[in-house]
Amino acid sequence: MKKTVVKLCLVFFFFGLKLHVFSQFQFNFNDSVQVFKNGVPLSKPWSGGFNNAQFSDIDYDFDGDLDLFVFDRSNNQVRVFSQELNGIQKYYRLDPIAGFKFPSDMRYRATTIDYNGDGKNDLFTYGIGGIKVYKNTGNATIGLQWEVAKNLLYSNNWGTLMNLYVSSGDIPAITDVDYDGDLDVLTYHISGEYMQYHQNQSQELYNHSDSLIFELKNECWGGFREDVNSNFLFLNDQTSPCQNGNVPNPQLKPNETVKAHAGSTVLAFDVDGSGVMDLILGDVAYSNLNLLINGGTEPNMNSKMISQDITFPSNSTPINMTLFPAGYWVDVDFDGVKDLIVAPNAKNVSENEQSVAKYKNTGSNTVSNFVFETKSFLQEDMIEHGSGSIPVLVDLTGDGLLDLVVSNFYSYKPTFLKESKLAYYKNTGTSTNPIFTFIDDDFMNISQLNYGLRIVSTFGDLDADGKNDMFLGLENGSLVYFKNNGSNSNPNFNNPIVNYTDNTGVTINVGQYAAPQLFDLNKDGKLDLVIGEKTGKIVYYENIGTTTSPSFEFKSNFFGSVDVITTSPDGYPIPHFIRHNDTTFLFIGTGEGCIQFFDSIDNNLAGQFHLNNGDFLGLKNIIGAYSACAMADLDNDNALNLLVGQDLGGVFHLEHDSESSLVVVENHLISEEITLYPNPANDELTVELFKWPNELTLSNFQGQILMKFEVNSDKTKINLQDLASGIYFIRGINTQTYKIIKE
């Protein structure tokens, strides 16, 4: 497996910063630590997992090949897998920072497709009640860049310009239905009964494809009706509006007394080579995809759907996903033939460890034949444990090597049942070359104890017998204690003590979702107990017992004045104290997905800790939700390793790099206000301003303002000749801050 290290993108603005503290915690993504499962090395172990993934392709790095764009509906995460070549073997590799190159306001759905015929895939995502479009304005010189093409698509409905409605729960088909070179839209009417065809008028009006002007051309495209109470389809339907054959210019408005549409996914392409679009449909309440075959021979002939396959693909293993499957037609095995990828579009109810099915297309792009290959495309190559993974590093076998335990918020087991469990990866490497080998996905059969969801583990030798014991934090806010009664080489946690008590005999309970950590806070040689609780605060119990007999005394339910709440109603903090160079630091995973970094802890246990960084490493944008971290020097190279758990069930691995810059973000997003190019720049920088006049400032990393300039036109050139090479920041009134690099 090719080893890669990727520079992390982040922007920090800290005034009065203790730079020596930051130098200790500079990290780069790193996939060099091997992970084995069933005797085979995982090719993408640190890629983060999937829950509700959506698939399309884009040449995001402008190297001439198509990379895989994955948008996960779970919490709007972006993953990009670049297409790589090793000899003659092509493969995907996660670019962990590629998500920063896409707009941050994507919600619910996102797909990449070229609408203007310039050879670069653009971006279609959710706009309020419909579709928002970003135009790809990047190139190999300036990298991936975006500008808003349409905040919302509109369509001419019977002479009235209306929002081209697509609900947040739906996935429409955005494709060239009439084969004229521009992109049309197929989507269910708000009633959920009829398929609407919105024709792009770009070719008709301008003889090119770069406009996004739509007209409703058919209220009942395909001539079928879906039962609003099921996913049953009535072919050749004769009810209004299907009976009117309303192509190309329907005048009949839809029934005003229809029921609201619950949710559908639409994939349209010519499955059988007949020259017209067929449909693959998913429904919010069902587990199958339904293939409809179009009986026409030419586009726009008001042809009807003449057959359906409710066990699609019936020639192979039919799709049977827990709920609300969506299909994606994209080549994922580099043979030039588009395969079928199926993933759940329903949040929080679908299998999330095996949630991406691949059906290989053994036919062609003209006549498809889909054959089932796997239920866990790409996931089978990753550490993947449901939702909300929580990594912990601990030496379970007494060999001096740190093993990996991964708990989770929950994972699904068929059907609609959730469970929380611990996965165990033994470190089978050496002190300088860690290798994690998968042992068990339900360590000690914890899931069978019915402790609820979001079980959080912590380990420590509480009785000085040389073996690490275990606490579990539970959904109900309490703790369970497990003494390690095994041997150094074979841990065995049994005879759990539930409702663990403090030194006064009172049950330790923090309300909901206890997240414990054992850590010697006061440096007295005994492990103290800190517990994150759902609302966002940290609870502290001091160990006033002995090294062989712990006794925990309550000290604070607002430890360090830490409260990780920002915008979410609950914080779900996962505390992780570390001691580095004899100094104590705190890293807290949060429900919002950021990691908060605190210092000023030593000799201040009764005071307020200093929030050094509210979004350590800028990870919130790519984690999305439910972050958790574990930090240690795994390979004894005096460089800390950082494991980051996340909403999508996988784990990121990063390693300290003293050479890395804390300010290495390239702002690849063009906001609706400011565009900067080229970046990096030499002697001149062009500023495009979509809202002017505006006063801009240019400052250095220390926050010193070096330039102020008025911008009174849409394009302004800034002279950088007098600036030394380095990193600078530009900010305008009421805009975000942008990083530029002067070469």
Side-chain angles (χ1 to χ4, degrees):
M1 180 177 67
K2 181 180 177 182
K3 308 300 180 192
T4 58
V5 177
V6 183
K7 293 281 185 180
L8 179 65
C9 289
L10 49 130
V11 177
F12 288 145
F13 298 98
F14 301 116
F15 303 102
L17 176 67
K18 297 179 180 178
L19 292 176
H20 71 280
V21 173
F22 278 123
S23 67
Q24 301 176 76
F25 301 116
Q26 300 176 36
F27 290 88
N28 291 330
F29 280 96
N30 187 304
D31 67 359
S32 62
V33 175
Q34 286 189 297
V35 180
F36 280 77
K37 188 172 185 178
N38 301 324
V40 178
L42 300 182
S43 60
K44 304 168 186 64
W46 309 106
S47 294
F50 297 136
N51 284 347
N52 307 102
Q54 303 170 12
F55 295 83
S56 52
D57 51 27
I58 184 173
D59 183 6
Y60 88 106
D61 50 9
F62 298 95
D63 65 352
D65 56 35
L66 287 175
D67 311 295
L68 189 63
F69 173 76
V70 185
F71 177 80
D72 203 293
R73 182 187 180 90
S74 182
N75 275 283
N76 307 307
Q77 296 95 332
V78 171
R79 301 284 187 267
V80 177
F81 292 83
S82 62
Q83 185 178 150
E84 304 289 336
L85 183 65
N86 183 11
I88 62 172
Q89 185 68 38
K90 295 179 180 179
Y91 65 98
Y92 284 127
R93 177 185 63 82
L94 175 72
D95 181 345
I97 64 175
F100 289 100
K101 302 179 181 181
F102 290 81
S104 60
D105 65 344
M106 292 184 293
R107 300 291 182 270
Y108 302 117
R109 60 176 177 265
T111 187
T112 54
I113 185 169
D114 181 11
Y115 82 84
N116 57 3
D118 64 356
K120 300 179 293 188
N121 279 4
D122 307 295
L123 180 64
F124 289 71
T125 186
Y126 176 76
I128 298 175
I131 301 171
K132 183 174 184 177
V133 183
Y134 281 91
K135 180 181 177 181
N136 184 345
T137 61
N139 56 52
T141 301
I142 65 175
L144 194 60
Q145 303 278 345
W146 303 98
E147 68 179 32
V148 175
K150 293 285 185 179
N151 274 307
L152 201 60
L153 293 183
Y154 287 84
S155 184
N156 186 344
N157 292 9
W158 320 282
T160 302
L161 195 63
M162 300 173 63
N163 174 22
L164 201 167
Y165 175 78
V166 184
S167 80
S168 62
D170 282 12
I171 295 179
I174 303 170
T175 187
D176 187 4
V177 175
D178 54 7
Y179 293 89
D180 68 348
D182 55 26
L183 292 179
D184 312 300
V185 177
L186 292 173
T187 184
Y188 272 101
H189 181 265
I190 192 172
S191 70
E193 293 181 276
Y194 308 106
M195 184 69 64
Q196 290 186 335
Y197 165 41
H198 296 267
Q199 185 187 55
N200 192 332
Q201 299 295 293
S202 185
Q203 287 289 344
E204 286 76 9
L205 295 175
Y206 309 116
N207 200 33
H208 56 61
S209 60
D210 64 356
S211 297
L212 294 166
I213 301 172
F214 293 88
E215 182 174 330
L216 178 62
K217 285 292 184 179
N218 198 323
E219 269 281 275
C220 185
W221 189 85
F224 67 93
R225 175 170 59 90
E226 181 172 325
D227 181 38
V228 294
N229 296 312
S230 70
N231 68 341
F232 184 81
L233 301 177
F234 300 91
L235 301 188
N236 196 26
D237 187 62
Q238 295 302 308
T239 61
S240 173
C242 289
Q243 64 184 353
N244 295 281
N246 49 3
V247 170
N249 187 24
Q251 296 298 319
L252 182 65
K253 292 189 178 184
N255 189 336
E256 299 294 339
T257 60
V258 295
K259 297 181 180 180
H261 176 42
S264 295
T265 63
V266 185
L267 174 62
F269 63 97
D270 185 4
V271 174
D272 56 3
S274 62
V276 290
M277 290 287 174
D278 307 300
L279 293 178
I280 297 174
L281 304 177
D283 189 276
V284 67
Y286 294 88
S287 60
N288 66 308
L289 287 179
N290 197 340
L291 169 66
L292 293 184
I293 295 297
N294 194 327
T297 57
E298 294 181 33
N300 276 6
M301 297 301 293
N302 197 26
S303 53
K304 309 293 185 182
M305 297 296 170
I306 59 173
S307 68
Q308 59 181 311
D309 180 3
I310 63 173
T311 59
F312 173 76
S314 54
N315 64 297
S316 183
T317 303
I319 291 159
N320 185 21
M321 197 155 281
T322 302
L323 209 64
F324 203 9
Y328 307 94
W329 195 44
V330 58
D331 177 19
V332 296
D333 51 18
F334 316 110
D335 62 359
V337 180
K338 293 185 178 183
D339 308 294
L340 178 66
I341 303 298
V342 184
N345 194 45
K347 290 179 61 174
N348 303 322
V349 292
S350 295
E351 291 182 62
N352 48 13
E353 293 182 284
Q354 296 182 320
S355 60
V356 182
K358 179 197 173 188
Y359 287 78
K360 180 174 177 59
N361 189 350
T362 61
S364 67
N365 290 330
T366 303
V367 180
S368 299
N369 184 60
F370 298 113
V371 178
F372 174 78
E373 277 195 354
T374 178
K375 286 181 63 177
S376 51
F377 171 66
L378 294 182
Q379 291 173 298
E380 59 201 3
D381 300 318
M382 307 175 186
I383 295 174
E384 164 66 281
H385 295 289
S387 292
S389 53
I390 305 166
V392 174
L393 292 167
V394 55
D395 181 6
L396 284 178
T397 57
D399 59 2
L401 305 178
L402 290 173
D403 308 299
L404 174 62
V405 175
V406 183
S407 59
N408 57 12
F409 201 137
Y410 61 85
S411 59
Y412 271 96
K413 53 182 181 178
T415 299
F416 305 120
L417 298 178
K418 298 179 181 179
E419 63 182 359
S420 184
K421 51 190 178 180
L422 307 182
Y424 170 36
Y425 293 79
K426 178 177 171 55
N427 190 340
T428 57
T430 67
S431 60
T432 58
N433 181 34
I435 297 173
F436 292 112
T437 298
F438 173 78
I439 303 297
D440 190 358
D441 70 349
D442 193 6
F443 181 57
M444 303 304 300
N445 295 314
I446 292 297
S447 70
Q448 304 303 308
L449 300 179
N450 298 316
Y451 286 149
L453 303 183
R454 204 173 192 244
I455 294 172
V456 180
S457 63
T458 185
F459 299 86
D461 185 2
L462 289 171
D463 51 10
D465 65 354
K467 297 172 295 186
N468 280 306
D469 308 299
M470 178 172 67
F471 272 119
L472 296 182
L474 305 188
E475 179 182 4
N476 67 9
S478 68
L479 303 180
V480 182
Y481 170 65
F482 292 80
K483 177 177 168 53
N484 188 347
N485 291 311
S487 64
N488 278 336
S489 60
N490 186 26
N492 184 29
F493 301 94
N494 54 24
N495 300 320
I497 299 175
V498 298
N499 295 317
Y500 190 83
T501 60
D502 65 11
N503 64 308
T504 67
V506 174
T507 298
I508 296 175
N509 192 301
V510 296
Q512 286 183 290
Y513 295 108
Q517 185 193 9
L518 289 167
F519 187 83
D520 182 7
L521 281 165
N522 53 10
K523 301 182 181 180
D524 65 353
K526 297 174 293 185
L527 292 173
D528 305 301
L529 179 63
V530 290
I531 311 170
E533 52 104 355
K534 180 184 177 185
T535 66
K537 297 182 175 65
I538 307 296
V539 180
Y540 169 42
Y541 286 82
E542 181 185 352
N543 188 346
I544 61 171
T546 67
T547 56
T548 59
S549 180
S551 179
F552 296 102
E553 179 180 65
F554 173 78
K555 288 295 183 181
S556 174
N557 61 2
F558 195 15
F559 188 41
S561 298
V562 170
D563 188 346
V564 302
I565 290 297
T566 53
T567 60
S568 299
D570 293 302
Y572 296 99
I574 305 285
H576 183 65
F577 286 90
I578 70 162
R579 187 157 290 129
H580 184 61
N581 294 336
D582 201 37
T583 302
T584 306
F585 303 95
L586 170 61
F587 297 85
I588 304 182
T590 68
E592 285 196 333
C594 60
I595 294 173
Q596 295 191 1
F597 170 32
F598 293 84
D599 56 24
S600 301
I601 297 170
D602 292 316
N603 303 312
N604 188 33
L605 298 184
Q608 179 176 344
F609 302 157
H610 172 240
L611 177 60
N612 204 316
N613 188 346
D615 186 14
F616 180 64
L617 302 182
L619 292 172
K620 181 180 183 296
N621 285 339
I622 55 175
I623 293 177
Y626 302 118
S627 57
C629 60
M631 195 179 296
D633 183 2
L634 288 173
D635 48 10
N636 289 302
D637 62 353
N638 295 316
L640 288 169
N641 302 83
L642 172 63
L643 303 185
V644 181
Q646 54 206 278
D647 173 42
L648 300 185
V651 179
F652 287 149
H653 171 244
L654 303 92
E655 187 162 13
H656 175 260
D657 182 359
S658 60
E659 299 290 321
S660 68
S661 169
L662 282 171
V663 189
V664 293
V665 148
E666 292 182 29
N667 196 304
H668 296 269
L669 309 184
I670 298 179
S671 78
E672 296 179 43
E673 296 182 336
I674 292 179
T675 304
L676 304 172
Y677 60 89
N679 192 9
N682 289 313
D683 294 334
E684 191 174 74
L685 176 74
T686 297
V687 178
E688 272 191 32
L689 212 59
F690 294 91
K691 293 180 180 180
W692 47 271
N694 202 337
E695 181 181 81
L696 303 183
T697 61
L698 183 144
S699 59
N700 61 17
F701 176 63
Q702 287 74 32
Q704 296 172 299
I705 295 177
L706 305 179
M707 289 187 193
K708 288 185 179 181
F709 43 92
E710 291 281 343
V711 178
N712 293 301
S713 62
D714 57 350
K715 287 187 180 181
T716 301
K717 296 186 183 297
I718 307 300
N719 190 330
L720 305 180
Q721 289 181 339
D722 294 335
L723 290 180
S725 298
I727 296 169
Y728 299 91
F729 305 96
I730 285 183
R731 182 176 178 83
I733 298 173
N734 298 323
T735 66
Q736 66 190 81
T737 302
Y738 297 81
K739 190 212 75 173
I740 65 168
I741 300 173
K742 166 69 187 302
E743 292 185 330

